[in-house]
Amino acid sequence: MSTRAKLELLVRSESGDDFRITKVESSLAYRQVRPQRITEGQYEVAALRSSVRRSTTYVVKNRLNEKYIELSEAEKFLWDQMNGRTSVEELGVAYVLRFGAFDFDIIHSLIDKLQRAELLTMRPVSRLREVLARNRRNPAARAAEATLKALERLTVGSRSAHEAFARVYRYGAFLIFSPVGLGLLALVTVLGFRGTREIWNDSANLYHGFGEHPIIGLVLVKLFFFLTLITHQMLHALALVHYGRRVKEFGFTMLHGFLPTFYADVTDVFMGSRRARIVAGISGPLVHLFLGSLYIYLASQCGPGLLKSFLVASAIIQSQSLFFSLYPFCFLEMDGYHVLVDWLGLPRLKSESLSFVRHRLWQRLRAGVGLSREEVVFVSYVGLSIFSIAAFVGLNVWFLVHTT
Amino acid sequence: MAKATDFKFLQEVLLFKDLAEDEKAAVWARLEERRLRRGDVLFREGDGGKELFFIRSGAVIVSKHVKGRVEQVLARLGPGDFFGEMSLFDDQPRSATIQAEDETVMYGLDRASLDYLIEQNPRAATAFFTQVVLVLIKRLRDSSELVAEVTRWGLEATGVDVERPASGGH
């Protein structure tokens, strides 16, 4: 068998003064391909239940060219993931989580089968980009697309960040994952609670420290918070090092072209233990607990003024981030969602839940058929998420009405 | 100007293989020495320039821009190799970027010196150009290999199976 083809590339540094040579193997590029099904409506799927084998196979028909292919349950699972956002590598991870075994060949042969039936397509990943691409005749859409493209180029990432994190871990960050780190977090949290009690009594005057420019003050608080976001991702990365896994990439990007964010590629944690996955998942959000508690404690020690208001506002934002990172029921795939998914062993909880509630729940209820345990989880997830979002919107409306 | 003590080096350069000693000495007198540190760029793709370079020691990377800060490595050249001949002959901008992979010493031969060689010693110039053509043929072969390798890379990276008829399916 011939070796995999390699491209030898020269990558210049930001300043252009130096360069590094990197060899990209075709298999690496293949693992990063994000296969996408053709548009819903261009295909249909029929389930064939075998009472003898007690399993279901699926027939997928391409309505455009009248081609049919048959999928096993495992292949159907992978087909459902092919949304243009999941890479082949991530498909492999999802497969391991679902079936408990690694079988890369099934992904390769499935993609091959789907390509032959022309059931895969290449479309822009983002819906917004898709809409803009469809309306390129419109100068505004063209300008917006060009702006998004330019912003997306602001991505700065390093695939060799692992060594840097390993060094940081060796030189002291290992303490974070030791009883010392845990003890410090507990201590600061207790101090934070105590500080909150003291601050609470003076809540009416908290923002007076911003003087006549409360909006500018809050914008500065937001900017400061943005800078602390990097520590959230760093903790995820350090947790990986702690469990002997590899940080595949770390950097900064404009999410969807307009949302500035730091990121750490922690997919290697899926090869670790469940404990490793959970610790890696919650270690980022715990940064917000630590910082929020620290800020509120420091605020309680300050006299009235700009610093106190700044610290209180920062602590509130950190607390909100802690909550949103860990709260899994809001249709956002944040850290808490991933921990929940791992705990339940349902890697596609959100999409399967939405699909079940949209398409099958009412039929079941009309037919008076009971729900399986898994389906109860689906309904609970959707129900809790809708309730949470409604409660969040309601709370904000109430807050606005009562403070203006 | 090139150092007299390095004259022996000219024997190793393929381009001057068929030149007589006195002809080599005439060329040697017109060469300009250039030194690069690791990472230094000699010239970039799109730059102007009418010099041909011979590498005395060290190594350079020949690369072509792909996107952003990424360039494809086309070749690595070492002692005895030459580059830059395309712009010397066709007056077009440089087709690739040259940067030193190590500390590199090289000698440059400009158009005026080449014209001088042609005028003064047509026999030596013919021998020189014969070698240029042979090296260019080899580079053409290497480029074909590279195109095939990049195509293979593309097929492997996308997983497209072109051997199977497109009308597959169930």
Side-chain angles (χ1 to χ4, degrees), chain A residues 74-93:
Chain A
E75 287 177 326
K76 170 72 167 41
F77 168 77
L78 293 167
W79 157 260
D80 288 336
Q81 315 274 332
M82 292 182 178
N83 52 13
R85 293 186 296 275
T86 312
S87 69
V88 167
E89 192 165 17
E90 287 161 344
L91 285 177
V93 171

Side-chain angles (χ1 to χ4, degrees), chain A residues 3-6 8-14 18-19 21 24-26 29-30 33 67-68 112 115-116, chain B residues 38-39 44 61 69-71 73 76 97 99-100 149-150 152-153 156-159 161 164 166 169-170:
Chain A
T3 55
R4 291 281 183 185
K6 276 181 195 162
E8 197 174 19
L9 300 173
L10 181 149
V11 185
R12 294 203 180 281
S13 61
E14 286 284 342
D18 200 6
F19 63 83
I21 300 289
V24 186
E25 205 175 271
S26 55
Y30 181 71
V33 163
K67 285 178 183 169
Y68 295 83
D112 189 35
Q115 277 177 335
R116 277 183 282 128
Chain B
R38 195 204 113 80
R44 290 179 196 278
I61 294 174
R69 291 183 282 118
V70 181
E71 292 165 35
V73 175
R76 281 188 163 78
T97 301
Q99 51 263 300
E149 183 69 356
V150 171
R152 187 164 76 92
W153 190 94
E156 287 177 3
T158 52
D161 186 355
R164 224 183 288 232
H170 190 64

